Amino acid sequence: MSKELVINANSSEVVIALLEDKSLVELSKEKNNTNFSVGDIYLGKVKKIMPGLNAAFVDVGYEKDAFLHYLDLGHTFKSLDKYLSRALDPKQKNIPLSRMTLEPDIDKNGKIQQVLSEGQTILVQVAKEPISTKGPRLASEISIAGRNLVLIPFTDKISISQKIGSAEERDRLRKLIRSIKPKNYGVIVRTVAEGKRVADLDSELRELVVKWEGAIQNIKNKPPKLVLGELNRTETILRDILNSDFNNIFINDQKMFEETRDYIKAIAPEKEKIVRHYKRSHPIFEHFGLEKQIKALFGKSVAVQKGAYLVIEHTEALHVIDVNSGNRTQSSSNQEENAIDVNIAAAKEIARQLRLRDMGGIIVIDFIDMHSQDNKQKLHEKLKEFMSTDRAKHHILPLSKFGLMQITRQRVRPEMNIKTIEKCPSCNGSGEVNPTVLLIDELENHVRWTLSKYKNRKITLVVHPFVASFLNKGFFSIRFKWRVKYLKRLKIKSSNSLTFLEYHFYDKHGDRILN
């Protein structure tokens, strides 16, 4: 399976598309001013204790207080609190964690008021980003992820990824980590560490320890305060999924291209050449056919194959997916055979949709009814197989007697939601448009206004391909006349994603100019 990453960066956001065999499977958007990402570590202050919920609300600087449940404190919370108190006390001298005596574990059946008090300063890590009206979800069991290892302070436990199948390799890694890790640090060995040399793992482990202790030494400020930020979304994806299957990483921004290339060079030098700078004037997503895939995949109705389709609905409590055979019912006289064929095809698309939209929580799927118990079991196994590449934790129940399948999937950030049904830009939903014969006059008015306002900027006009052809037609084209009339060069580009009467102006950075 070949994998490609296509990254569209502009001044306001970065959109990341992951393709498997040219098919879009993941889409992420990251605003350039995004805070409170999963993995960020904050110094917070307890605002309110909620004994009924056995939880606390913590101020970490977000507009709404973040939620911290007792079970998310971690069993080593007393050790963390002691270490933090020493770091915050200017009279105390910082000592390495490896020389500290750890405190007893907290009672797993205890109460939040036995451990926390209002006004207390605590160290927390974002476990879930703000979703809908809710603030971030926090944990106090700190972990710092690297390419091959995850460092967990205040414990000595060593865990090996279950995806490393060889018992001999698992034993080798366990012994290796035990010989190099400092005292009072736990380590999770990730799947990509399989076969790695001791020097590589030792170097990464030391870097993670320095990163953690360096952050703690600079923690003198009062809360709320960001103590240690996670990597940006692009580097996080690369750190977690970069493997030998990756063929290309295309980036349209020079600065991000250089940063990503340097990051790849650091974590996987042999893969440095797969990072490519996309320099064409045509939008990067349109060049790779992603705009069309996005429009086709994010609607309420999603085509599967040969007439079958999915209907996807979202509610506050759960997501519902209905599988419809469409005109497939006419293609076979065997209803059971037709049902299992459509259901398996739908299961493959559903696994893709869950990753693509990052749907989390409870998902209920209404498959086409089947009578054969073997077919029901086959469908269950197939869906588990299709979702085996999903990095989010999930659990799939067998079909119920009503033909419903239930899935729970980890939700750590807001669902990716793209509206594919748009209000007509020409009529604004009224059903009526201005006479098309006046379009060029309207365009010229906006061209004159834009060129006069942005005198020292390079302006690009993006229109429908038919309109672009009309404006550029002939030697004395309309574009040439505008250039002579306004003494300013205007670049005209076409876009298939625009409607016939739609047009937009952009500056040299690719940012849209609002008229």
Side-chain angles (χ1 to χ4, degrees):
M1 179 187 295
S2 67
K3 292 183 179 180
E4 293 179 319
L5 212 60
V6 180
I7 302 173
N8 181 18
N10 57 46
S11 59
S12 60
E13 67 178 5
V14 178
V15 186
I16 307 160
L18 173 63
L19 284 71
E20 292 181 356
D21 294 333
K22 304 297 181 181
S23 179
L24 180 64
V25 294
E26 287 188 23
L27 188 69
S28 301
K29 286 188 177 184
E30 181 182 32
K31 298 288 185 183
N32 288 341
N33 58 354
T34 297
N35 294 319
F36 308 102
S37 298
V38 172
D40 287 350
I41 299 174
Y42 281 86
L43 187 67
K45 176 176 281 190
V46 178
K47 298 292 285 186
K48 185 180 289 187
I49 302 292
M50 304 294 289
L53 298 174
N54 204 18
F57 285 99
V58 181
D59 178 17
V60 290
Y62 188 66
E63 58 191 57
K64 290 194 175 182
D65 291 337
F67 183 79
L68 175 64
H69 194 273
Y70 180 84
L71 296 177
D72 294 324
L73 286 173
H75 61 281
T76 61
F77 179 78
K78 287 184 178 179
S79 299
L80 171 64
D81 190 48
K82 175 183 175 182
Y83 191 64
L84 178 64
S85 298
R86 180 171 291 168
L88 291 172
D89 189 347
K91 298 179 182 178
Q92 292 273 5
K93 185 178 179 180
N94 283 339
I95 62 169
L97 178 56
S98 57
R99 291 169 50 193
M100 174 182 164
T101 302
L102 297 183
E103 296 294 305
D105 292 352
I106 64 173
D107 182 4
K108 66 179 180 179
N109 297 315
K111 301 297 181 183
I112 192 80
Q113 60 268 33
Q114 297 171 343
V115 182
L116 296 180
S117 58
E118 291 186 9
Q120 181 177 346
T121 300
I122 59 173
L123 201 65
V124 290
Q125 188 167 28
V126 177
K128 287 185 180 180
E129 294 177 10
I131 298 174
S132 185
T133 59
K134 301 174 183 176
R137 176 86 182 244
L138 305 176
S140 280
E141 195 165 15
I142 306 298
S143 62
I144 304 164
R147 168 72 172 155
N148 302 292
L149 308 172
V150 178
L151 184 71
I152 305 177
F154 310 107
T155 180
D156 282 301
K157 185 178 179 181
I158 299 173
S159 301
I160 311 294
S161 168
Q162 295 294 327
K163 293 182 180 179
I164 299 178
S166 169
E168 183 179 342
E169 176 64 8
R170 292 169 62 85
D171 188 52
R172 180 189 79 90
L173 289 169
R174 194 181 303 277
K175 290 179 180 177
L176 189 158
I177 296 299
R178 187 177 291 118
S179 68
I180 63 175
K181 84 170 188 64
K183 183 182 177 184
N184 297 336
Y185 284 103
V187 175
I188 298 174
V189 181
R190 309 182 75 169
T191 309
V192 290
E194 186 173 6
K196 288 290 192 298
R197 299 179 304 146
V198 60
D200 295 333
L201 298 180
D202 182 55
S203 174
E204 181 173 313
L205 184 60
R206 290 176 184 274
E207 288 177 6
L208 293 175
V209 171
V210 169
K211 187 177 181 180
W212 159 253
E213 295 193 341
I216 293 299
Q217 288 173 6
N218 298 320
I219 205 171
K220 305 301 182 183
N221 293 31
K222 294 182 179 180
K225 180 181 184 294
L226 176 65
V227 174
L228 188 60
E230 187 43 297
L231 299 171
N232 65 47
R233 189 84 181 110
T234 308
E235 293 178 352
T236 301
I237 290 175
L238 290 172
R239 181 194 67 194
D240 293 345
I241 67 176
L242 182 68
N243 56 31
S244 58
D245 293 337
F246 262 86
N247 300 94
N248 295 296
I249 300 171
F250 297 97
I251 306 173
N252 67 344
D253 181 76
Q254 178 69 36
K255 183 180 178 182
M256 179 165 283
F257 160 72
E258 293 172 357
E259 290 175 350
T260 305
R261 184 186 57 189
D262 292 343
Y263 180 72
I264 294 289
K265 188 177 181 180
I267 67 170
E270 72 282 2
K271 286 286 184 181
E272 180 187 356
K273 292 183 179 179
I274 70 172
V275 186
R276 304 171 188 270
H277 185 206
Y278 179 84
K279 299 179 180 179
R280 301 186 184 185
S281 59
H282 201 57
I284 187 169
F285 272 20
E286 284 195 18
H287 176 77
F288 289 99
L290 292 176
E291 287 289 353
K292 186 175 181 181
Q293 287 198 53
I294 290 170
K295 293 293 184 182
L297 293 170
F298 276 90
K300 177 180 176 181
S301 178
V302 179
V304 179
Q305 64 177 25
K306 297 180 181 178
Y309 62 96
L310 308 175
V311 177
I312 304 176
E313 297 276 8
H314 309 283
T315 71
E316 185 70 23
L318 48 80
H319 308 279
V320 181
I321 302 176
D322 184 33
V323 179
N324 291 276
S325 59
N327 57 21
R328 277 293 299 267
T329 54
Q330 303 170 9
S331 63
S332 174
S333 58
N334 188 327
Q335 183 179 354
E336 185 75 10
E337 180 183 337
N338 185 68
I340 185 63
D341 286 347
V342 171
N343 283 340
I344 289 176
K348 185 175 183 179
E349 182 60 35
I350 287 168
R352 178 191 186 189
Q353 287 288 328
L354 296 185
R355 289 178 65 188
L356 186 61
R357 303 186 188 213
D358 205 4
M359 293 162 60
I362 301 172
I363 300 106
V364 178
I365 308 168
D366 182 11
F367 284 104
I368 297 171
D369 290 339
M370 297 180 296
H371 301 291
S372 167
Q373 194 60 41
D374 290 341
N375 284 339
K376 292 180 180 180
Q377 181 62 28
K378 181 180 179 181
L379 177 62
H380 183 228
E381 295 299 326
K382 278 290 185 181
L383 185 55
K384 288 199 290 185
E385 177 189 330
F386 295 142
M387 291 191 66
S388 62
T389 56
D390 194 336
R391 289 177 289 127
K393 295 178 183 178
H394 58 271
H395 183 64
I396 308 170
L397 295 180
L399 279 169
S400 71
K401 64 180 180 179
F402 298 117
L404 302 176
M405 190 174 288
Q406 299 170 66
I407 302 174
T408 58
R409 186 176 183 273
Q410 183 185 27
R411 179 168 66 174
V412 296
R413 55 180 54 89
E415 176 195 347
M416 174 64 67
N417 185 21
I418 296 176
K419 291 184 178 180
T420 57
I421 298 177
E422 305 167 351
K423 181 187 287 188
C424 173
S426 302
C427 70
N428 289 320
S430 68
E432 298 177 346
V433 297
N434 292 327
T436 54
V437 72
L438 300 179
L439 173 63
I440 301 304
D441 292 338
E442 180 185 332
L443 260 177
E444 183 174 1
N445 287 334
H446 281 120
V447 165
R448 181 174 60 251
W449 181 88
T450 305
L451 293 179
S452 63
K453 184 174 181 181
Y454 301 94
K455 293 181 180 179
N456 299 319
R457 295 195 195 179
K458 293 181 179 179
I459 306 298
T460 300
L461 171 63
V462 182
V463 293
H464 187 275
F466 289 171
V467 179
S469 298
F470 182 76
L471 294 175
N472 289 311
K473 182 181 177 181
F475 180 78
F476 292 104
S477 64
I478 295 174
R479 180 172 68 90
F480 178 79
K481 293 176 182 177
W482 286 349
R483 180 183 175 184
V484 172
K485 186 175 182 179
Y486 301 113
L487 301 176
K488 178 95 175 166
R489 186 184 294 273
L490 176 70
K491 191 174 183 179
I492 296 178
K493 292 172 61 177
S494 64
S495 174
N496 289 320
S497 64
L498 299 187
T499 61
F500 183 68
L501 300 180
E502 187 180 4
Y503 56 89
H504 301 295
F505 291 90
Y506 294 88
D507 62 19
K508 66 177 181 179
H509 302 295
D511 294 329
R512 184 177 165 186
I513 297 172
L514 299 177
N515 288 317

